[in-house]
Amino acid sequence: MAAVRDLGWATGRARHQSSPDTTQEGKGGRIRAIRVEASHPPGGAAMVSPKALLATVESTLLGPGGPTPRQRVELKHALRDALPVFRSFLSYNTPKPSDRTRVMSKEVRLQDVSPSLDDLDVQIALKLSDELNLNEIDCVSLLVHAHQEWDLFGREPLEIFRLAAGLWYTERRALITSLYTLLRAVVLDQGLEADIVSDIQCYLEDLFKSGLRQRLISLMKELSRAEAATSSGQHQAEQYVMDSRGALVKRNAVILRERLTVGHCLAISVLVVRPNSKDVKDMFFGLKESIAEVTDDKETQKLQIVFSLLFGIVISFISDALSTAPDKTSILCNDTSFRREFQELMMSSGNDQKVEEFIGAIRLTWTVHLMLTSEENSAAETASITSCLELVCSRNAFQILLDKILRTAAYQNDDDDMVYMYTAYMHKLVTCFLSNPIARDKVKEMKEKAMSTMHPYLTGGPNSLAIADSEKEQISQTSSHPFISLLELVSKIYEKEPEHLAGNEVIWTFVNFAGEDHTNFQTLVAFLRMMSSLASNEEGALKVFQLLQRKAFRSVSWTRLFDCLSMYEQKFKQSLQTSAAVLPEFQEGDAKAMVAYLRVLQKVMQKGNPLERSKWFPDIEPLFKLLGYENVPPFLKGALRNTITTFVENTPILKDTIWSCLERYDLPVVVGPPPIGNQSQQLQMQVYDMRYELNEVEARAERYPSTISFLNLLNALVKRETDTSDRGLSLLTLYDVKEMDIENIERTPQQISSKPVASPEQEIPVLELLKDFMSGRTAFSSIMGILLQGVNAVINDRASQVHGPLLEKAVLLSLEIILLVFDKDLFLADFWRPLCQPLDVILSQDRNMIVALLEYVRYDFLPQIQQCSIKILSTLSSRMVELVPLLLESGSADSLIEDYAACLEVRSEETQALDNIDDSGVLILQLLIDNISRPAPNLTHLLLKFDVDSSIERTVLQPKYHYSCLRVILDVLETMNFPDVNASLHEFGFQLVFELCLDPLTGNAVSDLLASKKYQFFSKHLESFAVLPLPKRHTNHSLRVSSLQQRAWLLKLLAYEMHAGDVGSSIHKDVCLRVLSQLFARETTDVGSAGSALTDSGLHMIDYMKTRRIDKNKVLALLDIVQFRAPDAVHDYSQSISNSSLDILVGSILQNPATVDKGGVYYFSERGDRLIDLASFGEKLCQMCNVGPQSVSLVHEGNIVELKNSIQQLLRWGWRYNRKLEEQAAQLHLLVAWSQLVEVSISRRMMFLENRSQILFEVLDATLEASASPDCSIKMSAILTQVAITCMAKLREERFLSPGNIDSDSVTCLDIVSMSQLSSAACQSILLKLIVAILRRESSELLRRRQYALLLNYFQYCQSMLDPDIPEPLLRFLLQEEQDGDVEVVLQKIDNEHEELDKANFFILKKEARELLDVIVKDAKHASEIGRTVSIFVLDTLISIDRDQFFLSHLQSRGLLQSCLSDIRNSSFLFPHFRRSYVYLHILGLKCRTDKVLQHFCE
């Protein structure tokens, strides 16, 4: 279960609105100098922050995969620190006159800091103290905390008060939720390890032994008084606070939610530590007070509070009576005085009828407690039990449990885990009751009385669904009979949790007893309803079927049902044959009994074992026999058809039988007019068909069971029908479709999709529905009528009404229909204009419809509804340019901003992986990303709180001031909580931030916000998660891929900041220096320690970087992360199959590039990767194996088992293919981002670093080594080579820059000549790794061109700074004028170094000459024009450094020059191609170079 939400859970939430109190003069936020981190809630112990405690508890106990050792240690320390806070649970320091005087004098000191207060701050602090009953000093601390959480500058005083109070309630909620989560971890089976559960249990036992339960009970009373005070507005108490979203929330609703959670804690606590007698009595009196507070059945939360106290008492009595563990002996049963006092309480009666009804449930529990704990042969104990039991039955406590608890919306909509626990103890209560001899005798007595006092039958008219008033009164009296109520109670309990039936012989014994000797239909119907509930799982369905099959009861069996159906059919037949009179009336009791039978039959067929249930009912023809008679009640016809539908869905072999029986027995839909004759005769004739039944019978009762069941039956049959040649055409009469309509429409579906086209009988209803929506007619109006109720009304009904889940389902289906229409309307509108328009045009005619659709994002009971609303907004935003102005004019823009932010925040707080495919958070982020580039003002600008009323680009973003998606996204990316669950949110969050920075309208505002000291977004993430090890491939592939993508977007964002950041601004310059420091000169200490030394000039940072000890560059650590071994190669699909015919089929499927929606098997993921849709792939394989020309050969060539195995192997191959493709794409994306960051940093920001040559060499050396690795793909190697070229170019540039510590005006020629470069060993390392990279096995022309360019740059870098053509006397003259020392020594040293480097380079080249020249000569002959040119350049360079004609001889032996000259001679120069001419020019240059070298050696 998800953790309890923030204040947004409170009901009665109001939007931010003006109030009479907001007219106070002055603005808030005077606490300017405060920078104190409030680490604990005001008034609490300074041990632990409740929010931090809750985060630790949830991440440890609710996270996926179980807690890690580190999380367990963190939880242990957090719980130890929180022990004082739990012991003083929500007890705060009260106001003191001395502290009030200190605050009024503005002399307050907090954590060794004295905040500067003004009169308005004092006024707000004192108001907080009065309203919340808090100590005045703690209220000042609360203001400080609110200032850090929110930007309070410029806010009204009332708004500041509400924000601070909301923050206080949030801290309280966090502490309550922490306790609730700990209790659930002990009581509920959440898959935690036994030792951690044991530790938490010991911790909680110590707390409850120290008085925590008494504190919870007293807290319930305190909160009740506080809620009553705020509801009535006593003492002018402020009735609103602001939640974390900045939205107004009713204060009494917040307190009510606190009471409910505390009540849940109290109910669960009785299972951790048994309550004593005082605890039980206090809970009982608290229960009576809580019941008295409930004034309306729609007060859901107050009723749930009552249930928590009531079931706390129920669980206490049952668990105490059933106690068998030696360390948990019974407490209450051994307290004689308590037993006597509580017995008196149970036997006494009060004046409040409502309280007495709920006390009846406690009285039943107390009776069971006495039955389980009384001494045998004790007359006094027996008398107490008997008297109490008589009171229970006379007041029918069973019916009270049903009507006031189990059937209420408050119970059904309570927390799922709490309802499960309540139901489990109701099961124990009923089981213990029915197993006691005294109770069994009383049940027998109740049954005999019910059989003797109830009337056997009640009759009603043949066409009436209603019952007469006198009969209603009689039914109400008999249905509340204790025996019937007991049957209904058992039915309700085990329908909710059928697993409690496993091995429950007590219930099945009771079933055998209750099923005998029914003399009236009321008890029979109640018994059959119980049987239907008991058949809610496979074991129960089998048991119920066997009981009714074996005729275990004299009057209840399957045979009885089918005989009764046949008997009535014969009776009606005889009546029609003997006379033309009206058919005999159908007994109402028989009809209701049949309906109950049919419900049991449905449940048995639905839940039974699929292999066995198909044999249980071979003959179902009797179910059809009564469908054609007009005197059969419509509700019975509905039950019959619903049962038949169950057979269609669960027993496909009976489909043909069902079709034939339906055509034979059921009513005709519409009977045509009689032959032309007398007009008056036609008017007098009434034909009873389905249309008549719908209009004349069901419409009068405003219920349509027969019609609805008929449509459901047809839908089930058509859905499973493969041959529509005859039956499908007969169904066209339902839609009044003519042959001409078929011909006109038959062509349209083929143009909609390239999928196999369905038959016209199936397509026509869909097209008619689309026409209806696209013209705004009946179906559209009906769907919008459901949705226009508004999200608030649906939320209220979902929480307070029993029909809430049905309304929720109707809303979901309506939204899904809207999306289906959106999917087809644009294409169809081109054919159907002007009568039909796209759906967005229809909706835009009334903006209230658009607002209603979009506001369903607020509906947080069912994520699917939120997702549908988000998808609708995504569609509308792509079609309607005026969408944002429309929302602004409607006044719904602000609420929509909050709702989307709240939806995103709730999703980010999830601790468990989502089961459904769609993710609300990802949908919102994709919506924001898609809208960035659309015309302004667009939806992204609106939802991120840009200034859409004036200038987008001049917006000053204030996420701490305005609650929006931007604030939530930044908070999510700052904490990076639950990486397993929120990986997609983190990934798309980084992408969104990058796209915002890249956009010309939003870039400046967003980059300024990220660079601010408040966020420090760039340096923080680079320091934290960027260099963490990747998740393992075999344990969490999806997280590994997402982690790669997250780092890629982060590095792209850093590259943007390094490229576009304004270094003229101190903020961006500081960011630049920090990022450079982290990338290229990482230190073991925190980089932030040097932040205070930064100035505008950056010299302090440069000096700081000079002196510190350098570890491995982080940029190289990032390269190590991206350079991992690729997944195992996925072999070709043909290796997975041995059948050649199947190989051809698979090839035809995979070679089709179409996506799934266009008939293919591919789909594009949210990242843009084209993957194989395995479901569509498998479906295509099965279709092509069963249908088509190749299918016959497949069957003949191999058996079915081999074919199935081949398909399974192909699906596994597709799964592996997808995984490898996703990981490779993510790896390449990260490498591209890394290369962009490195190249931008080297090209634009290297001047801020020292030791630049060394840094460049490290990066160059690492990239060359990585590019030569066999694990490096060709694409990755090309990217790395490009980075190496940039590094080499920057190294060449460094040689021409002035020395860093020498003024440029004092630089001499000798300084330039003797400019230091990389050592000879470093240069040799570069050359050697470059040659290895060129000679790698897998390569491409593009890669080699880049490698050749790098090789040429390297040789240019190795050349001497001295031009050999400069006359030596001139050089000596220039150097002697600027240098007093011995110039000869310097020049000789320079010459020697370069001579040594040249020799080393030549030796390395000579060693690999053969393989190297093979590659270069091949490119010079066969590559493209550019490739040949670069190759000839390389050959030219190699010949220029050739010392003994080594390379020249190799070239001559390969005939390269002769081949090139031959090409030149054979080419036509009439219209020469420019590039080709350029190639020829360099060939001639190479020829000249070789001739010159040969001439030199000859001389």
Side-chain angles (χ1 to χ4, degrees), residues 1327-1339:
L1327 180 59
L1328 183 59
K1329 291 179 180 179
L1330 177 55
I1331 292 175
V1332 173
I1334 294 174
L1335 298 178
R1336 55 175 286 153
R1337 178 176 300 177
E1338 295 181 357
S1339 186

Side-chain angles (χ1 to χ4, degrees), residues 182-245:
L182 291 172
L183 288 166
R184 285 174 17 130
V186 172
V187 174
L188 302 176
D189 184 10
Q190 298 181 173
L192 297 172
E193 297 179 6
D195 56 344
I196 190 172
V197 174
S198 177
D199 293 341
I200 296 174
Q201 183 170 355
C202 293
Y203 181 84
L204 292 173
E205 289 175 353
D206 293 340
L207 286 177
F208 285 110
K209 289 177 182 178
S210 63
L212 179 57
R213 182 179 286 111
Q214 277 298 315
R215 174 57 189 155
L216 293 177
I217 296 172
S218 63
L219 186 61
M220 294 281 287
K221 298 179 181 179
E222 292 175 12
L223 293 174
S224 176
R225 292 192 294 268
E227 189 267 333
T230 55
S231 298
S232 60
Q234 297 178 3
H235 310 294
Q236 297 181 348
E238 174 56 40
Q239 297 187 19
Y240 291 94
V241 296
M242 279 188 170
D243 64 4
S244 61
R245 310 169 187 178

Side-chain angles (χ1 to χ4, degrees), residues 79-223:
L79 293 180
R80 182 190 60 196
D81 296 339
L83 191 59
V85 180
F86 279 127
R87 285 176 175 168
S88 62
F89 196 69
L90 298 184
S91 296
Y92 299 102
N93 298 328
T94 56
K96 295 181 181 179
S98 59
D99 291 337
R100 193 176 190 88
T101 303
R102 289 174 58 192
V103 173
M104 295 179 68
S105 64
K106 305 173 185 176
E107 297 178 355
V108 179
R109 188 173 184 84
L110 299 174
Q111 295 184 351
D112 300 328
V113 175
S114 298
S116 59
L117 306 177
D118 64 3
D119 294 338
L120 192 55
D121 296 325
V122 172
Q123 177 186 349
I124 297 173
L126 295 181
K127 182 175 176 61
L128 285 169
S129 177
D130 296 336
E131 292 271 355
L132 305 178
N133 195 31
L134 278 179
N135 182 269
E136 292 81 357
I137 302 296
D138 294 330
C139 290
V140 175
S141 177
L142 182 60
L143 273 179
V144 174
H145 197 185
H147 181 77
Q148 295 165 347
E149 187 72 18
W150 293 90
D151 189 356
L152 300 182
F153 295 119
R155 295 183 186 267
E156 297 289 344
L158 181 59
E159 188 178 2
I160 296 175
F161 168 83
R162 288 170 171 171
L163 286 170
L167 195 59
W168 184 68
Y169 280 112
T170 301
E171 296 285 351
R172 289 166 58 92
R173 174 66 61 79
L175 188 60
I176 298 172
T177 306
S178 298
L179 177 61
Y180 177 61
T181 307
L182 291 172
L183 288 166
R184 285 174 17 130
V186 172
V187 174
L188 302 176
D189 184 10
Q190 298 181 173
L192 297 172
E193 297 179 6
D195 56 344
I196 190 172
V197 174
S198 177
D199 293 341
I200 296 174
Q201 183 170 355
C202 293
Y203 181 84
L204 292 173
E205 289 175 353
D206 293 340
L207 286 177
F208 285 110
K209 289 177 182 178
S210 63
L212 179 57
R213 182 179 286 111
Q214 277 298 315
R215 174 57 189 155
L216 293 177
I217 296 172
S218 63
L219 186 61
M220 294 281 287
K221 298 179 181 179
E222 292 175 12
L223 293 174

Side-chain angles (χ1 to χ4, degrees), residues 1185-1256:
C1185 290
N1186 295 327
V1187 181
Q1190 293 91 350
S1191 59
V1192 178
S1193 61
L1194 288 176
V1195 174
H1196 286 304
E1197 291 179 10
N1199 53 39
I1200 301 299
V1201 176
E1202 181 183 353
L1203 192 60
K1204 288 182 178 180
N1205 291 336
S1206 297
I1207 292 177
Q1208 290 296 325
Q1209 291 294 330
L1210 286 169
L1211 292 177
R1212 292 191 189 97
W1213 171 85
W1215 177 76
R1216 291 194 299 268
Y1217 171 86
N1218 286 346
R1219 284 169 61 94
K1220 181 179 180 181
L1221 186 64
E1222 284 183 312
E1223 187 169 343
Q1224 285 181 334
Q1227 183 184 24
L1228 188 62
H1229 187 202
L1230 178 56
L1231 183 61
V1232 169
W1234 178 87
S1235 68
Q1236 291 175 355
L1237 175 59
V1238 173
E1239 291 190 80
V1240 170
S1241 301
I1242 290 174
S1243 302
R1244 297 180 60 86
R1245 307 302 182 196
M1246 283 295 286
M1247 74 285 296
F1248 294 111
L1249 290 172
E1250 290 295 318
N1251 300 321
R1252 293 188 288 268
S1253 296
Q1254 180 64 25
I1255 293 173
L1256 291 170

Side-chain angles (χ1 to χ4, degrees), residues 128 130 161 186 285 448 499 515 542 618 686 724 847 904 910 996 1168 1224 1300 1323 1450 1483:
L128 285 169
D130 296 336
F161 168 83
V186 172
F285 294 127
E448 292 173 353
E499 64 269 17
L542 178 61
Q686 289 186 351
T724 59
R847 66 186 183 189
L904 186 59
E910 294 287 346
L996 287 171
Q1224 285 181 334
C1323 292
H1450 277 280
I1483 290 174

Side-chain angles (χ1 to χ4, degrees), residues 654-920:
L654 295 176
K655 183 185 60 177
D656 293 335
T657 303
I658 291 172
W659 268 114
S660 60
C661 290
L662 188 65
E663 295 170 353
R664 177 181 176 187
Y665 289 104
D666 209 343
L667 281 173
V669 179
V670 177
V671 176
I676 298 176
N678 190 353
Q679 187 74 16
S680 61
Q681 236 179 9
Q682 295 182 28
L683 295 175
Q684 292 177 358
M685 291 186 63
Q686 289 186 351
V687 179
Y688 195 93
D689 54 17
M690 283 193 177
R691 181 169 59 182
Y692 180 85
E693 185 178 67
L694 171 65
N695 295 329
E696 301 296 333
V697 180
E698 293 183 309
R700 295 178 187 275
E702 296 184 352
R703 295 181 181 178
Y704 307 90
S706 178
T707 302
I708 293 175
S709 66
F710 176 72
L711 294 176
N712 288 334
L713 175 57
L714 284 183
N715 286 334
L717 286 169
V718 172
K719 183 179 179 181
R720 288 160 179 80
E721 186 59 57
T722 57
D723 181 14
T724 59
S725 57
D726 50 353
R727 293 171 187 153
L729 290 174
S730 66
L731 292 178
L732 292 178
T733 57
L734 292 176
Y735 307 100
D736 195 20
V737 178
K738 308 296 188 297
E739 292 183 3
M740 181 177 61
D741 298 325
I742 298 176
E743 295 175 358
N744 293 335
I745 292 178
E746 203 168 17
R747 294 185 296 271
T748 307
Q750 298 176 358
Q751 299 171 345
I752 297 177
S753 174
S754 61
K755 288 184 176 182
V757 180
S759 64
E761 299 81 27
Q762 296 174 348
E763 289 289 347
I764 288 174
V766 177
L767 295 174
E768 289 299 315
L769 182 64
L770 288 169
K771 279 186 177 180
D772 186 288
F773 270 82
M774 295 171 65
S775 56
R777 294 201 298 261
T778 307
F780 172 77
S781 301
S782 301
I783 293 296
M784 291 309 301
I786 297 174
L787 298 174
L788 283 174
Q789 297 181 69
V791 64
N792 292 331
V794 177
I795 290 174
N796 183 62
D797 287 350
R798 178 63 177 84
S800 61
Q801 301 294 334
V802 177
H803 67 264
L806 296 177
L807 178 59
E808 177 184 78
K809 185 176 180 180
V811 169
L812 176 60
L813 292 174
S814 300
L815 291 173
E816 289 177 344
I817 291 173
I818 295 288
L819 287 173
L820 290 174
V821 176
F822 269 131
D823 189 43
K824 302 291 184 184
D825 63 338
L826 282 181
F827 178 82
L828 294 174
D830 295 334
F831 295 91
W832 293 344
R833 282 191 177 99
L835 298 177
C836 298
Q837 299 290 334
L839 186 57
D840 58 287
V841 177
I842 303 296
L843 290 172
S844 62
Q845 296 173 4
D846 184 359
R847 66 186 183 189
N848 292 327
M849 292 191 293
I850 294 178
V851 172
L853 291 173
L854 302 186
E855 284 186 339
Y856 278 97
V857 74
R858 192 184 313 155
Y859 190 86
D860 54 3
F861 285 96
L862 190 66
Q864 287 85 346
I865 289 181
Q866 290 180 312
Q867 292 159 11
C868 288
S869 180
I870 297 168
K871 292 176 182 177
I872 290 173
L873 179 57
S874 178
T875 302
L876 291 176
S877 65
S878 65
R879 298 186 183 186
M880 299 177 60
V881 179
E882 69 281 1
L883 179 61
V884 171
L886 183 147
L887 294 174
L888 292 172
E889 291 173 5
S890 67
S892 60
D894 290 338
S895 62
L896 198 67
I897 293 170
E898 292 180 11
D899 293 336
Y900 268 81
C903 179
L904 186 59
E905 183 177 21
V906 170
R907 166 59 189 87
S908 68
E909 293 171 353
E910 294 287 346
T911 57
Q912 297 289 340
L914 302 178
D915 295 332
N916 54 327
I917 298 176
D918 289 328
D919 185 330
S920 301

Side-chain angles (χ1 to χ4, degrees), residues 861-1079:
F861 285 96
L862 190 66
Q864 287 85 346
I865 289 181
Q866 290 180 312
Q867 292 159 11
C868 288
S869 180
I870 297 168
K871 292 176 182 177
I872 290 173
L873 179 57
S874 178
T875 302
L876 291 176
S877 65
S878 65
R879 298 186 183 186
M880 299 177 60
V881 179
E882 69 281 1
L883 179 61
V884 171
L886 183 147
L887 294 174
L888 292 172
E889 291 173 5
S890 67
S892 60
D894 290 338
S895 62
L896 198 67
I897 293 170
E898 292 180 11
D899 293 336
Y900 268 81
C903 179
L904 186 59
E905 183 177 21
V906 170
R907 166 59 189 87
S908 68
E909 293 171 353
E910 294 287 346
T911 57
Q912 297 289 340
L914 302 178
D915 295 332
N916 54 327
I917 298 176
D918 289 328
D919 185 330
S920 301
V922 172
L923 289 176
I924 292 175
L925 293 175
Q926 288 178 332
L927 172 68
L928 295 172
I929 293 171
D930 293 340
N931 279 273
I932 289 177
S933 58
R934 288 173 182 157
N938 57 46
L939 201 61
T940 301
H941 301 151
L942 177 69
L943 295 181
L944 298 184
K945 208 63 179 177
F946 282 85
D947 188 359
V948 294
D949 295 324
S950 57
S951 177
I952 302 294
E953 58 268 22
R954 288 197 293 269
T955 301
V956 178
L957 295 172
Q958 295 178 297
K960 290 292 185 182
Y961 192 94
H962 301 292
Y963 182 75
S964 67
C965 289
L966 181 60
R967 174 174 178 168
V968 176
I969 292 166
L970 293 178
D971 289 344
V972 168
L973 295 180
E974 182 179 9
T975 57
M976 301 285 286
N977 288 332
F978 308 117
D980 288 355
V981 180
N982 293 334
S984 297
L985 291 187
H986 299 159
E987 176 185 340
F988 289 101
F990 280 118
Q991 181 182 358
L992 173 64
V993 174
F994 171 72
E995 299 288 353
L996 287 171
C997 287
L998 210 59
D999 185 72
L1001 290 180
T1002 61
N1004 291 335
V1006 175
S1007 60
D1008 289 345
L1009 177 68
L1010 299 181
S1012 63
K1013 293 183 178 179
K1014 185 180 296 184
Y1015 285 99
Q1016 297 182 358
F1017 188 89
F1018 301 104
S1019 57
K1020 179 185 300 182
H1021 289 294
L1022 183 58
E1023 186 67 30
S1024 56
F1025 90 101
V1027 293
L1028 292 178
L1030 288 173
K1032 299 297 183 184
R1033 180 183 297 120
H1034 61 279
T1035 57
N1036 202 332
H1037 168 78
S1038 59
L1039 179 59
R1040 178 184 179 88
V1041 172
S1042 182
S1043 180
L1044 288 167
Q1045 296 283 1
Q1046 292 170 37
R1047 298 170 207 234
W1049 290 116
L1050 174 62
L1051 297 189
K1052 280 189 171 183
L1053 190 60
L1054 293 174
Y1056 167 82
E1057 176 63 19
M1058 299 297 287
H1059 175 76
D1062 182 11
V1063 292
S1065 167
S1066 60
I1067 295 178
H1068 287 282
K1069 189 164 188 175
D1070 289 350
V1071 171
C1072 175
L1073 295 174
R1074 286 177 180 273
V1075 172
L1076 286 173
S1077 171
Q1078 291 172 324
L1079 282 176

Side-chain angles (χ1 to χ4, degrees), residues 1224-1296:
Q1224 285 181 334
Q1227 183 184 24
L1228 188 62
H1229 187 202
L1230 178 56
L1231 183 61
V1232 169
W1234 178 87
S1235 68
Q1236 291 175 355
L1237 175 59
V1238 173
E1239 291 190 80
V1240 170
S1241 301
I1242 290 174
S1243 302
R1244 297 180 60 86
R1245 307 302 182 196
M1246 283 295 286
M1247 74 285 296
F1248 294 111
L1249 290 172
E1250 290 295 318
N1251 300 321
R1252 293 188 288 268
S1253 296
Q1254 180 64 25
I1255 293 173
L1256 291 170
F1257 166 71
E1258 291 178 357
V1259 176
L1260 174 59
D1261 187 72
T1263 53
L1264 287 175
E1265 184 176 0
S1267 67
S1269 170
D1271 294 331
C1272 186
S1273 66
I1274 296 176
K1275 292 182 179 179
M1276 293 177 61
S1277 183
I1279 296 171
L1280 291 169
T1281 306
Q1282 185 62 46
V1283 175
I1285 292 174
T1286 305
C1287 292
M1288 182 57 70
K1290 198 65 180 179
L1291 280 172
R1292 292 180 58 198
E1293 182 183 322
E1294 284 294 315
R1295 297 185 61 188
F1296 295 95

